[in-house]
Amino acid sequence: MDVHKELDTRGLNCPLPILKAKKALSELHSGQLLRVVSTDAGSIRDFQAFARQTGNELVEQQTVAEEHIHILRRR
């Protein structure tokens, strides 16, 4: 998977990971991928809702140890 931008939001709680992801996505071209790493357990459902509401595609979500990784494709 060719990720175009990575965002480290470890240690930040809702709504900061979403707000930072929204800003980062605005800097990408349509179809490009953003990888967000978060330690906020609520970020799993937050990013699912964010993708539904904005039309960006949530390509993948996974949890590794205490970190939640979200990959979004800009619409």
Side-chain angles (χ1 to χ4, degrees), residues 56-74:
N56 294 296
E57 179 187 357
L58 185 58
V59 177
E60 182 179 314
Q61 282 187 310
Q62 61 179 320
T63 300
V64 179
E66 302 281 321
E67 296 182 344
H68 310 288
I69 301 164
H70 316 278
I71 299 179
L72 295 146
R73 183 183 317 276
R74 186 172 195 269

Side-chain angles (χ1 to χ4, degrees), residues 36-50:
V36 183
V37 179
S38 177
T39 51
D40 179 8
S43 68
I44 294 170
R45 71 174 180 281
D46 291 344
F47 275 97
Q48 292 168 354
F50 174 75

